């Protein structure tokens, strides 16, 4: 069994873990980041892509609103390439409490959330599909952010500074010696191979799974997974993030991101963060909620449905005892737990709660405490993530919807597109594979968006699998398996949306995969 | 406007019905929203490819299969209609050299290298039948889209043929001079219509060829004069040579479509594309007219008989509503009753409740209501809109369209005579 030595072991490759890795690496620490699956496959890969202005929380959770407002500005500066500056809007629909708007305005002023009221006519000029019966509208600094891009930028930056990044490595044991965590045993979930890592400090950044990880060291983290359902619609029904101006509720946010728009979300406590499949009733509720923001919404084509598990960390004693009845009442702020104080286990911290928008701040708070514990101090060890630009964001230019078209035109006609929906070229796939030699089609999807567009892989899945076999990346069996499992994986997000144009697309894909290619009869 | 017969839809079923009726001297008009589904598929005619396992002899397998599936479209029509339709079709498409019988399926490689059973195939594909095994050289052309010879050959060589004998397959990629970037199949097909381009390709293939007895190539052997392109190339290579179909758009499908639309016009039928049929009016149990929406206005078109061949869910003939209902889009006809609620646990390659969704029809292929009575005495359905089959899984797609298109015409001619 080979052994790794590291300063900081980070468990969980979501936004928090990737942020911690980036932050630690910038401070000169050697960091090892592990996740049981691919990076950003937990909650981070399953949110709507909203970079909060803070407006959502100004009335209910002002502390969280204040954090969001500050972090929004930081991320715009350091992660521009991951962000589309869509702007955001809060609108009072006929179903919203008309009195809330004034509370909202006052809350924005208190929390430092930039907000400007505009006339309903101006709002509708900007977003013509908006419900014409809205009575007030406010502009805020919401944006959409590509979680996969942001995570991979953090991780690449960390790796360039010596970090070890181990996706598909599950922590099977935490080693506790003399009342302190000294390392972990990892298992490669693809090969079954085990290895040990010896760490001066271990940070549990497993989000909704952090309770499970803490238990490995006999520690307690009372995190409550909060299930949220989202649906991606096949078009950008709006080009500005649109929020209902009311207390947070179900289906009150519509986020334009990349080629789609995502409506979300719900919030119910879940017993197990791995058991959060959306239900037909939740889908119906989301479609109805969409109708309130954009009349005709439910006639549009729903492309994909999924659910994420928020890591909700109730700070009050009553709720920590597991008595959470309404997860919407749990603060969206984060907590750094020192298990030396809480459980008598040293060198072990948990960072939990929080939300994507504040991941940089969460990482900073966790690494600040870690360096403290390691007895490091001084300017050399100070956090730099508020000024250091993430790889890819050096130009300071925001992502825009035409970015890939622009790149493609620059590449010229010699580089055939493999995925027409998301404009992914052969070169893009080859470059991604050279960065990650062991990657599967579904990993490529997360880094390139291949197969995420309207056809959900109907055309590109075959092309990518066959091309990677041709390049020697896959053996025959692996190519077939990758293709089949990719199709099964895509199906999970569409099977509950089997109506209208989406079913028509499914049927066309069936004609391609089964009618033309006869994929179900490939040799073993 | 008035015709003897109005056909709605220009896929295989609609064109077959239209041609057959026009051949019989009827005044036929075919209206279609688009161009029909033929370019989406490789233009082979499947009859029955899989029941439990692969079907080697569809004619032998069909009676048992249809007895077990009494609502299957092929079970609704006269038992001789399918064979008659196949014979008629082979004659009609003779310029494309279609061959095959219902007695024995051919097992052709697909673009991923599965061996797929089918009944009638164009001459450009026939040498790909690997029922008895054999050794093949799979030739990719650099820049040609959607054709990956390595995976194709690797999968082909990984399993025995249906007869148990060995398949040997090797892949090569050749670079045709002047090919720049990524070539859509239609473009490459056009290029290969030039004799000197074919000669160059033949030279490249010859230089790669070893002991292989056959050569498989992308489905790009000409759009207009496939016979000449294929024969030329095969003669110059000196071995049997065949096209291997791939994902849409399909050049062999486009060839079949072109031939069928020409045939329709040659026998006096009219084909009007960009003309959606959006509704109809019935009088006394008969459909009197349909409303056709074209560029600027709706036109009422009257006819004695109608054939509805708008396709199933894949081509928009039937729309499934959120909440589970299904709607036949042109006339609002009742569909087969199945539970269409999505199954949260279904797996992709497993059967699903809505797979067989379509119209229920009587023995004359007339859509029937819940009581089993024809909705209109003079309205017949043909093709994928007829319920009861899972053609993409059974490999029965074009066979159903051909047989029901033919049978719908027979029913109309029977009544007219």
């Amino acid at each position: 069994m080979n052994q790794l030595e590291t300063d900081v072991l980070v468990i969980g490759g979501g936004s928090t873990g990737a942020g911690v890795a980036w932050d630690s690496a910038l401070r000169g620490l050697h960091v090892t980041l592990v996740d049981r699956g691919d990076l950003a496959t937990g909650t981070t890969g399953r949110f709507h892509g909203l970079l909060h202005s803070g407006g959502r929380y100004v009335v209910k959770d002002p502390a969280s609103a204040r954090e969001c407002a500050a972090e929004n500005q930081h991320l715009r500066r350091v992660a521009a390439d991951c962000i589309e500056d869509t702007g955001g809007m809060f609108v009072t629909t006929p179903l919203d409490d008309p009195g809330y708007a004034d509370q909202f305005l006052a809350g924005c002023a208190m929390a430092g959330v930039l907000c400007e009221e505009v006339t309903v006519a101006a709002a509708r000029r900007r977003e013509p599909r908006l419900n014409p019966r809205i009575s007030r509208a406010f502009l805020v600094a919401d944006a959409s952010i590509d979680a996969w891009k942001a995570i991979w930028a953090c991780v690449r930056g960390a790796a360039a500074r010596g970090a070890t990044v181990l996706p598909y490595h599950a922590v099977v044991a935490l080693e506790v010696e003399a009342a302190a965590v000294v390392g972990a045993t990892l298992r490669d979930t693809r090969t079954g191979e085990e290895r040990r890592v010896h760490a001066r400090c271990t940070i549990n950044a497993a989000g909704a799974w952090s309770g499970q990880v803490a238990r490995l060291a006999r520690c307690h983290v009372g995190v409550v997974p909060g299930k949220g359902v989202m649906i991606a619609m096949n078009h950008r029904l709006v080009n500005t993030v649109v929020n209902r101006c009311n207390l947070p509720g179900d289906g009150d946010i519509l986020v334009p991101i990349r080629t789609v728009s995502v409506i979300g979300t719900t919030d119910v406590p879940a017993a197990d963060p791995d058991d959060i499949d959306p239900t037909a009733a939740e889908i119906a509720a989301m479609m109805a909620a969409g109708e309130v923001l954009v009349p005709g919404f439910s006639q549009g084509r729903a492309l994909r449905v999924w659910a994420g598990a928020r890591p909700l960390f109730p700070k009050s004693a009553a709720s920590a005892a597991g008595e959470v009845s309404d997860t919407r009442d749990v603060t969206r702020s984060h907590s750094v737990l020192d298990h030396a104080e809480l459980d008598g286990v040293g060198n072990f911290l948990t960072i939990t709660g929080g939300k994507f928008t504040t991941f940089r701040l969460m990482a900073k708070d966790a690494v600040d405490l870690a360096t403290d514990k390691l007895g490091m101090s001084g300017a050399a060890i100070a956090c730099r993530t508020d000024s250091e630009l993430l790889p890819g964001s050096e130009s300071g230019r925001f992502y825009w919807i035409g970015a890939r078209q622009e790149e493609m035109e620059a590449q010229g006609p010699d580089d055939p597109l493999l995925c027409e929906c998301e404009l992914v070229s052969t070169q893009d796939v080859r470059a991604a594979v050279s960065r990650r030699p062991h990657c599967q089609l579904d990993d490529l999807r997360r880094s390139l968006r291949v197969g995420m567009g309207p056809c959900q892989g109907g055309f590109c899945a075959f092309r990518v699998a066959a091309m990677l076999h041709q390049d020697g990346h896959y053996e025959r069996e692996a190519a077939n398996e990758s293709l089949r499992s990719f199709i099964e994986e895509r199906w999970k997000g569409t099977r509950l949306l089997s109506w209208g144009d989406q079913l028509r697309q499914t049927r066309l894909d069936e004609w391609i995969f089964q009618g033309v290619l006869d994929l179900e009869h490939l040799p073993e | 406007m008035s015709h003897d017969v109005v056909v709605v839809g220009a896929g295989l079923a609609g064109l077959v019905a239209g041609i057959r009726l026009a051949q019989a001297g009827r005044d036929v008009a075919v209206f279609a929203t688009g161009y029909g589904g033929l370019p989406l598929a490789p233009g082979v005619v499947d009859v029955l490819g899989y029941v439990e396992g692969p079907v080697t002899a569809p004619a032998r397998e069909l009676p048992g299969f249809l007895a077990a599936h009494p609502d299957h479209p092929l079970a609704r029509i006269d038992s001789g209609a399918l064979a008659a339709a196949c014979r008629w079709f082979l004659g009609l498409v003779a310029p494309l050299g279609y061959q095959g019988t219902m007695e024995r399926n051919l097992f052709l490689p697909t673009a991923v290298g599965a061996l797929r059973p089918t009944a009638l195939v164009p001459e450009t594909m026939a040498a790909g039948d690997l029922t008895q095994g054999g050794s093949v050289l799979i030739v990719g052309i650099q820049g040609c889209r959607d054709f990956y010879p390595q995976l194709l050959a690797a999968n082909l060589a990984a399993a025995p043929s249906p007869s148990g004998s060995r398949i040997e397959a090797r892949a090569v990629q050749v670079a045709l001079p002047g090919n720049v970037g990524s070539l859509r199949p239609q473009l490459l097909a056009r290029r290969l219509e030039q004799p000197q381009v074919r000669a160059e390709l033949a030279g490249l293939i010859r230089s790669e060829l070893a002991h292989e007895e056959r050569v498989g190539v992308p489905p790009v052997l000409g759009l207009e004069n496939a016979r000449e392109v294929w024969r030329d190339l095969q003669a110059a290579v000196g071995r049997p040579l065949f096209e291997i179909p791939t994902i849409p758009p399909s050049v062999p499908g486009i060839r079949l479509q072109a031939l069928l639309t020409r045939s329709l016009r040659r026998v006096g039928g009219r084909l009007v594309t960009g003309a959606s049929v959006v509704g109809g009016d019935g009088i006394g149990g008969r459909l009197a007219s349909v409303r056709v929406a074209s560029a600027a206005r709706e036109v009422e078109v009257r006819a004695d008989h109608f054939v509805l061949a708008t396709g199933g869910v894949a081509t928009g003939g039937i729309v499934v509503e959120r909440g589970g209902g299904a709607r036949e889009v042109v006339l609002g006809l009742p569909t087969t009753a199945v539970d269409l609620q999505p199954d949260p646990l279904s797996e992709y390659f497993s059967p699903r409740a809505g797979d067989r969704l379509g119209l229920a029809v009587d023995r004359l292929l007339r859509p029937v209501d819940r009581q089993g009575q024809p909705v209109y005495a003079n309205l017949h359905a043909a093709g994928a809109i007829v319920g009861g089959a899972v053609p993409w899984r059974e490999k029965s797609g074009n066979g159903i369209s051909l047989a029901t298109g033919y049978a719908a015409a027979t029913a109309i001619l029977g009544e007219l005579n």
Side-chain angles (χ1 to χ4, degrees):
Chain A
M1 200 190 284
N2 61 22
Q3 167 123 8
L4 289 164
E5 288 290 331
T6 195
D7 293 325
V8 183
L9 169 65
V10 185
I11 302 169
S15 55
T16 317
V20 168
W22 169 235
D23 188 306
S24 310
L26 280 177
R27 301 193 206 206
L29 296 166
H30 183 270
V31 54
T32 300
L33 175 67
V34 301
D35 195 284
R36 63 176 190 171
D38 193 16
L39 301 186
T41 47
T43 310
T44 299
R46 303 179 145 266
F47 89 128
H48 39 44
L50 170 59
L51 180 66
H52 278 281
S53 59
R56 176 46 68 210
Y57 304 113
V58 289
V59 174
K60 187 151 192 178
D61 192 353
S64 185
R66 195 174 293 278
E67 284 174 0
C68 285
E71 285 306 303
N72 180 302
Q73 294 307 310
H74 283 310
L75 291 181
R76 281 169 179 266
R77 197 167 55 247
V78 298
D81 183 48
C82 312
I83 293 170
E84 181 182 347
D85 186 17
T86 59
M89 205 185 274
F90 278 73
V91 295
T92 304
T93 75
L95 297 187
D96 297 319
D97 166 18
Y100 182 84
D102 288 326
Q103 289 179 55
F104 171 78
L105 263 181
C108 285
M110 291 279 290
V113 172
L114 295 174
C115 173
E116 177 200 348
E117 179 156 15
V118 293
T119 63
V120 169
R124 295 197 57 221
R125 264 199 304 279
R126 178 163 170 160
E127 290 299 340
R129 280 198 174 91
L130 266 186
N131 188 339
R133 292 168 63 219
I134 60 172
S135 53
R136 296 181 76 175
F138 307 90
L139 296 183
V140 294
D142 288 340
S144 64
I145 182 160
D146 185 322
W148 293 288
K149 242 178 156 180
I151 292 329
W152 279 103
C154 286
V155 165
R156 278 194 204 109
R161 286 161 178 80
T164 304
V165 181
L166 300 172
Y168 295 104
H169 279 71
V171 175
V172 292
L174 284 176
E175 258 175 73
V176 182
E177 267 174 30
V181 172
V182 296
T185 305
L186 311 176
R187 182 183 296 138
D188 186 326
T189 58
R190 294 163 304 188
T191 64
E193 191 189 336
E194 292 199 353
R195 58 164 68 172
R196 289 181 61 206
V197 50
H198 182 257
R200 295 169 66 200
C201 177
T202 297
I203 298 180
N204 171 12
W209 291 263
S210 57
Q212 295 176 20
V213 169
R215 272 197 295 279
L216 295 173
R218 297 180 187 281
C219 296
H220 175 71
V221 174
V223 67
V224 180
K227 174 187 178 185
V229 170
M230 282 147 273
I231 297 178
M233 303 299 287
N234 187 35
H235 297 95
R236 286 176 57 124
L237 295 167
V238 289
N239 284 306
T240 307
V241 174
V242 179
N243 305 261
R244 275 171 65 178
C245 194
N246 212 342
L247 285 170
D250 287 354
D252 57 359
I253 304 177
L254 183 57
V255 182
I257 179 159
R258 298 284 198 158
T259 53
V260 300
S261 33
V262 178
I263 183 136
T265 171
T266 56
D267 196 346
V268 287
D272 177 354
D274 287 314
D275 185 13
I276 50 166
D277 285 341
T279 65
E282 287 167 331
I283 292 169
M286 281 302 110
M287 299 305 280
E291 203 68 32
V292 177
L293 288 169
V294 173
F297 180 94
S298 60
Q299 303 303 306
R301 174 172 161 195
L303 189 59
R304 197 165 175 82
V305 61
W306 69 93
R310 300 176 188 80
L312 299 177
F313 188 70
K315 291 185 179 181
S316 75
S319 43
E323 291 157 21
V324 175
S325 54
D326 186 348
T327 44
R328 289 222 186 263
D329 292 338
V330 177
T331 178
R332 283 354 186 201
S333 289
H334 58 275
S335 303
V336 186
L337 311 179
D338 178 357
H339 292 291
E341 283 174 19
L342 295 169
D343 305 279
V345 177
N347 302 349
F348 186 40
L349 310 177
T350 292
I351 166 82
T352 193
K355 54 204 296 73
F356 187 94
T357 298
T358 57
F359 85 89
R360 189 208 66 87
L361 179 64
M362 294 166 70
K364 172 184 182 294
D365 289 350
V367 183
D368 279 349
L369 184 59
T371 48
D372 230 37
K373 293 267 150 195
L374 292 171
M376 305 163 89
S377 60
I381 203 75
C383 175
R384 283 163 52 202
T385 52
D386 60 343
S387 56
E388 196 76 29
L389 304 182
L390 279 168
S393 292
E394 295 84 354
S395 73
R397 189 176 167 202
F398 289 124
Y399 166 83
W400 63 297
I401 182 75
R404 284 202 165 167
Q405 180 71 27
E406 187 182 47
E407 270 173 43
M408 198 185 77
E409 284 169 6
Q411 281 165 353
D414 283 345
D415 189 16
L417 282 182
L418 295 179
C419 170
E420 279 108 345
C421 302
E422 295 286 346
L423 301 179
V424 181
S425 72
T426 309
Q427 231 177 79
D428 295 335
V429 171
R430 289 197 168 125
V433 167
S434 73
R435 284 195 297 264
R436 298 187 68 192
H438 299 297
C439 72
Q440 296 294 312
L441 283 193
D442 210 43
D443 300 334
L444 280 176
R445 172 179 69 81
R446 282 182 287 274
S447 34
L448 296 175
R449 295 184 68 82
V450 64
M452 286 178 92
C455 87
Q456 291 284 299
F459 288 77
C460 62
F462 152 66
R463 292 172 180 157
V464 178
M467 189 203 85
L468 291 178
H469 172 267
Q470 182 178 307
D471 283 2
H473 178 76
Y474 280 140
E475 297 293 326
R476 177 187 73 82
E477 295 85 348
N480 294 346
E481 178 46 35
S482 191
L483 181 51
R484 273 189 296 237
S485 63
F486 184 75
I487 293 167
E488 285 289 359
E489 185 55 40
R490 293 281 81 192
W491 174 240
K492 284 182 192 161
T494 53
R495 62 189 167 192
L496 281 170
L497 306 175
S498 291
W499 73 79
D501 283 345
Q502 183 56 39
L503 179 63
R504 187 174 175 177
Q505 180 76 56
T506 295
R507 196 49 47 83
L508 175 64
D509 290 353
E510 282 170 330
W511 275 107
I512 293 175
F513 291 139
Q514 303 178 46
V516 175
L517 297 176
D518 204 2
L519 268 186
E520 69 274 36
H521 295 107
L522 278 177
E524 289 307 310
Chain B
M1 228 191 295
S2 178
H3 301 276
D4 290 342
V5 186
V6 160
V7 177
V8 188
L12 182 60
L15 290 173
V16 161
I19 292 167
R20 181 130 194 275
L21 288 159
Q23 280 176 338
R26 311 300 164 204
D27 164 28
V28 177
V30 179
F31 295 98
T33 301
Y35 290 95
L38 280 168
L40 295 176
V44 297
V45 179
D46 303 340
V47 169
L48 186 63
Y50 290 95
V51 178
E52 295 291 310
V55 171
T56 51
R60 200 176 59 215
E61 199 79 28
L62 267 171
F65 173 76
L66 296 179
H69 297 91
D71 293 328
H72 195 279
L74 295 179
R76 308 307 294 162
I77 59 175
D78 190 68
S79 64
L82 175 61
C86 287
R87 280 193 302 276
W88 173 84
F89 180 78
L90 288 175
L92 180 72
V93 297
L96 292 173
Y98 270 71
Q99 43 196 272
T101 71
M102 282 176 47
E103 309 305 317
R104 187 174 81 75
N105 268 333
L106 308 170
F107 284 80
L108 302 188
T110 73
V112 279
L115 271 189
R116 186 185 175 288
T118 186
L120 310 183
V121 305
E123 61 192 356
T124 56
M125 292 183 199
D129 176 28
L130 290 169
T131 307
Q132 302 299 329
S135 77
V136 290
L137 180 70
I138 309 292
V139 180
I141 302 172
Q142 213 163 63
C144 173
R145 290 188 67 105
D146 302 333
F147 196 83
Y148 298 89
Q150 278 86 354
L151 183 61
L152 204 173
N155 273 324
L156 263 189
S161 74
S163 69
S165 41
R166 207 167 150 245
I167 296 172
E168 198 188 306
R170 184 168 66 93
V172 294
Q173 186 91 252
V174 300
L176 206 49
N179 269 5
V180 179
S182 160
L183 289 178
R184 305 230 160 237
Q186 297 99 311
L187 208 70
L188 203 48
R190 286 279 184 212
R191 294 202 58 210
L192 282 167
E193 286 171 0
Q194 301 166 32
Q196 74 279 14
V197 179
R198 296 203 284 278
E200 278 179 287
L201 179 59
L204 291 166
I205 295 175
R206 266 200 317 274
S207 67
E208 295 286 353
L209 199 55
H211 65 281
E212 289 86 2
E213 59 199 23
R214 294 185 247 179
V215 176
V217 298
V220 294
L221 302 183
L223 271 167
E224 303 291 337
N225 54 346
R227 171 165 285 175
E228 184 188 327
V229 176
W230 168 68
R231 282 185 177 165
D232 254 25
L233 196 63
Q234 180 167 263
V237 167
R239 310 276 160 92
L241 183 134
F242 59 96
E243 293 182 303
I244 301 174
T246 184
I247 65 177
S250 172
V251 168
I254 294 169
R255 283 182 210 136
L256 178 59
Q257 179 190 41
L259 177 68
L260 293 180
T261 52
R262 269 202 310 273
S263 304
L264 175 70
R265 291 190 169 120
R266 190 169 300 138
V267 291
R270 280 173 46 120
L271 172 63
V272 189
T273 56
S276 291
V277 177
V278 294
D281 292 298
I283 300 170
R286 291 179 75 84
L287 186 61
S289 63
V290 289
R291 293 191 300 279
V292 183
S294 52
R297 64 208 166 97
E298 269 183 32
V299 182
E300 192 184 11
V301 181
R302 311 177 69 80
D304 296 332
H305 294 267
F306 296 85
V307 177
L308 187 65
T310 45
V313 170
T315 50
I318 291 177
V319 170
V320 173
E321 313 275 8
R322 186 158 68 89
R327 185 164 54 88
E328 185 283 308
V329 297
V330 173
L331 298 165
L333 300 169
T335 59
T336 51
V338 284
D339 177 14
L340 295 173
Q341 290 299 331
D343 173 3
L345 297 175
S346 72
E347 290 182 349
Y348 186 78
F349 290 105
S350 309
R352 294 193 279 280
D355 287 350
R356 295 173 193 274
L357 176 67
L359 301 180
V361 295
D362 70 3
R363 300 248 153 224
L364 295 174
L365 290 175
R366 293 178 300 189
V368 294
D369 58 22
R370 300 261 181 261
Q371 286 70 47
Q373 296 306 307
V375 180
Y376 298 109
N378 60 337
L379 172 69
H380 305 260
I385 197 169
V386 181
V390 195
W392 56 91
R393 194 171 302 127
E394 298 163 1
K395 295 358 175 207
S396 60
N398 278 347
I400 291 174
S401 293
L402 170 58
T404 54
Y406 184 89
T410 305
I412 290 169
L413 292 171
E415 191 184 316
L416 285 174
N417 295 336

